[in-house]
Amino acid sequence: MTAQVRGLHARVLESLGPAITGGAYPPGSVLRMDELSKEFEVSRSVMREAVRVLESMHLVESRRRVGVTVLPTPEWNVYDPQVIRWRLAGADRPRQLRSLTVLRSAVEPAAAGLAATHATAEQCAALTECAIGMVSHSRGRQLEGYLIHDIEFHRTILRASGNEMFARLGDVVAEVLTGRTHHQVMFEDPDPAAVTLHVKVAEAVRERDAERAQELTREITLGALEELDVLAP
Amino acid sequence: MTAQVRGLHARVLESLGPAITGGAYPPGSVLRMDELSKEFEVSRSVMREAVRVLESMHLVESRRRVGVTVLPTPEWNVYDPQVIRWRLAGADRPRQLRSLTVLRSAVEPAAAGLAATHATAEQCAALTECAIGMVSHSRGRQLEGYLIHDIEFHRTILRASGNEMFARLGDVVAEVLTGRTHHQVMFEDPDPAAVTLHVKVAEAVRERDAERAQELTREITLGALEELDVLAP
DNA sequence: CGGCGACAATAAGTCTGACTTTTAAGTCAC
DNA sequence: GTGACTTAAAAGTCAGACTTATTGTCGCCG
């Protein structure tokens, strides 16, 4: 699932990053380079590289004569896919899922509207194919197959919008959908209404009906929000 | 304006980062560590730290026996504030401004709607104050003063939404507004209609009218989009 | 002639130790 | 108490030696 780590510093990150976002070192905590390198049994140079990356995510700040300070949450680069993954794996997963879903409900309808006017023929075909895949996996505990097509559907919409900022949220949406499937309704089949909506969105985009694509996508994301309210109130 | 760089590796980044996002090293280019450290006259350890940060932004990928490869644009972490700043300073600034403004037009209305129900009394007061500041700087070439209040207004809306993903876009909006003021209409006074809309948004939020706050903010962002169409077609 | 496996060259990765620089904090005189 | 001065602690920098993964090549065999 996750790309295999390349290099020692990446392995340190995969351990230290989640520890910070998970609250093991609360904001204001001060870590020291040589203690860290002792703890993770790596040389200081490797440790420095890891800390530099955390610093670029605004998770920590390194100052001379002080040490490595954990920054307050609002400073964190919450759009960094790695940070998102770490936080979704941690304790405040529910709140995280909610704020990401709210973001989706703002962005995806707009993206769908743009996609209706910008999508290439290939992208239209891909959307239809995804929608078909969702339908055919919508009954009988085929959640994994359903998820794959669901993710690809939303990824395609975001990419087809032609806006790179929207396109880059494909990974975020994928994480959210995966999280939902794996941690909430693993046993139930997906909502039939949602499936139908996806099919209709594919239609609307194919027919270049921006208004309808936007409205239908809004319904999808609103449904996702309501689902969250029901399952994690 | 920009925070003074702390450390050598940061200085290297400030030079190498814009070079990459600016296209001086097109995607697929291969750089080599020791050549880079020669070029920037820093030790390899410093260079490695800089490359690690670029790697965490998905601007480059470092592989053994190959070197440091510049990744294709769609891979880039375009939500990283530093990447945004680098790109806005570079050649494709216009396209960048456009995609950021489209993002704004999706996010800010939703944020304003949420702000209407979540804003604290202090935040309502801050909004009103910003709006007043905008009005009083809206005539007679006081663009810098206007800009400060404009930025603070949008930042407050995003923060008051209560959604951390929205809140984190405050810096992005600030960059966009700054860019617009400094590179396009430096000589003209701001559009009076926009000023009025800001005042009305502050009102709507204060009166907890989510629907109106959202609609008015949509008008603001649509105005920003149209302005872009006129000035950079 | 084409594929496969061993080998060698290459560039990143890692570690270590010595040194420098910044700066928080303590100290002392006034 | 306030100021300037000193000290020490921690990150920052550098250089060099060594390790390891990867890739291209070359020769062998089918």
Side-chain angles (χ1 to χ4, degrees):
Chain A
M1 183 139 198
T2 44
Q4 59 172 352
V5 282
R6 235 201 271 280
L8 253 185
H9 84 105
R11 215 167 307 164
V12 172
L13 269 180
E14 281 309 313
S15 164
L16 185 52
I20 292 175
T21 59
Y25 305 97
S29 310
V30 175
L31 316 170
R32 255 162 300 150
M33 279 289 195
D34 43 4
E35 283 187 12
L36 286 173
S37 54
K38 279 268 164 62
E39 187 181 337
F40 290 97
E41 295 175 307
V42 293
S43 67
R44 285 168 327 191
S45 33
V46 168
M47 201 63 225
R48 314 191 86 260
E49 290 172 25
V51 168
R52 282 288 169 273
V53 173
L54 293 176
E55 211 173 9
S56 88
M57 296 169 173
H58 289 91
L59 258 51
V60 303
E61 186 191 31
S62 175
R63 288 177 57 192
R64 273 179 155 136
R65 168 68 211 240
V66 175
V68 177
T69 314
V70 178
L71 292 176
T73 321
E75 298 281 335
W76 297 354
N77 246 351
V78 283
Y79 284 90
D80 191 305
Q82 207 161 15
V83 173
I84 290 176
R85 216 176 317 128
W86 290 342
R87 298 188 73 190
L88 281 178
D92 62 3
R93 175 195 195 85
R95 202 171 33 160
Q96 188 66 5
L97 267 180
R98 182 172 304 268
S99 54
L100 289 172
T101 305
V102 170
L103 177 68
R104 279 188 65 196
S105 70
V107 165
E108 291 204 58
L114 287 175
T117 64
H118 288 96
T120 65
E122 289 77 28
Q123 288 168 331
C124 287
L127 280 181
T128 307
E129 207 166 314
C130 287
I132 292 175
M134 289 175 72
V135 170
S136 68
H137 289 82
S138 64
R139 298 192 167 271
R141 315 274 166 84
Q142 306 185 63
L143 282 174
E144 283 302 327
Y146 181 84
L147 175 62
I148 290 174
H149 290 96
D150 196 7
I151 288 177
E152 191 55 27
F153 183 93
H154 290 276
R155 232 190 246 288
T156 305
I157 288 280
L158 289 166
R159 216 175 310 127
S161 73
N163 183 306
E164 65 177 352
M165 300 304 288
F166 288 167
R168 206 54 177 79
L169 291 177
D171 292 339
V172 174
V173 173
E175 292 289 345
V176 172
L177 294 177
T178 305
R180 180 178 63 171
T181 301
H182 288 175
H183 285 80
Q184 297 187 349
V185 285
M186 198 54 175
F187 27 86
E188 274 184 36
D189 281 346
D191 178 12
V195 181
T196 309
L197 281 171
H198 282 79
V199 174
K200 287 185 178 170
V201 168
E203 266 177 34
V205 170
R206 202 171 48 233
E207 294 166 2
R208 305 287 180 213
D209 188 340
E211 194 66 40
R212 205 164 85 95
Q214 177 163 358
E215 188 51 44
L216 290 166
T217 306
R218 189 190 319 281
E219 286 181 42
I220 292 179
T221 55
L222 283 184
L225 262 178
E226 281 167 17
E227 192 180 300
L228 264 192
D229 287 332
V230 172
L231 294 167
Chain B
M1 182 135 198
T2 44
Q4 58 171 354
V5 283
R6 236 202 271 280
L8 253 185
H9 83 106
R11 215 166 309 165
V12 172
L13 269 179
E14 282 308 314
S15 165
L16 185 53
I20 292 175
T21 60
Y25 305 96
S29 311
V30 175
L31 316 169
R32 256 163 297 150
M33 279 288 196
D34 43 4
E35 283 187 12
L36 285 173
S37 54
K38 279 270 164 62
E39 187 181 336
F40 289 98
E41 296 176 305
V42 293
S43 67
R44 281 168 323 180
S45 31
V46 168
M47 202 61 226
R48 313 191 87 262
E49 290 170 26
V51 168
R52 281 287 169 274
V53 173
L54 293 175
E55 210 173 10
S56 87
M57 296 169 173
H58 289 92
L59 258 52
V60 303
E61 186 191 30
S62 173
R63 288 177 57 191
R64 268 178 155 137
R65 169 66 211 243
V66 175
V68 178
T69 314
V70 178
L71 292 175
T73 322
E75 298 281 334
W76 297 355
N77 246 349
V78 283
Y79 284 90
D80 190 306
Q82 207 160 14
V83 174
I84 290 175
R85 214 175 319 127
W86 291 341
R87 298 188 73 191
L88 281 178
D92 61 4
R93 175 195 195 89
R95 202 170 36 161
Q96 187 67 4
L97 268 181
R98 181 172 304 269
S99 54
L100 289 172
T101 305
V102 170
L103 177 69
R104 280 187 64 196
S105 70
V107 166
E108 290 204 58
L114 287 174
T117 65
H118 289 96
T120 65
E122 290 77 28
Q123 288 168 331
C124 289
L127 280 180
T128 308
E129 207 166 314
C130 288
I132 292 175
M134 290 175 72
V135 170
S136 68
H137 289 83
S138 64
R139 298 193 166 270
R141 315 276 166 83
Q142 305 185 63
L143 283 174
E144 283 302 326
Y146 181 83
L147 175 63
I148 290 174
H149 290 96
D150 196 8
I151 288 178
E152 191 55 27
F153 183 92
H154 290 277
R155 232 190 245 289
T156 305
I157 288 280
L158 289 167
R159 215 177 309 127
S161 73
N163 183 307
E164 63 177 352
M165 301 303 289
F166 288 168
R168 207 51 177 81
L169 291 177
D171 292 340
V172 175
V173 173
E175 291 290 346
V176 173
L177 295 177
T178 305
R180 181 177 63 171
T181 301
H182 287 173
H183 284 79
Q184 296 187 349
V185 286
M186 200 51 177
F187 26 85
E188 274 184 33
D189 280 346
D191 177 12
V195 181
T196 309
L197 282 171
H198 282 79
V199 174
K200 286 185 178 171
V201 168
E203 265 178 33
V205 170
R206 202 171 48 232
E207 293 166 3
R208 304 287 180 213
D209 189 340
E211 194 66 39
R212 205 162 86 95
Q214 178 164 357
E215 189 49 46
L216 290 166
T217 306
R218 189 190 320 281
E219 288 181 41
I220 290 178
T221 55
L222 283 184
L225 263 179
E226 281 166 18
E227 191 180 303
L228 264 193
D229 287 332
V230 172
L231 294 167

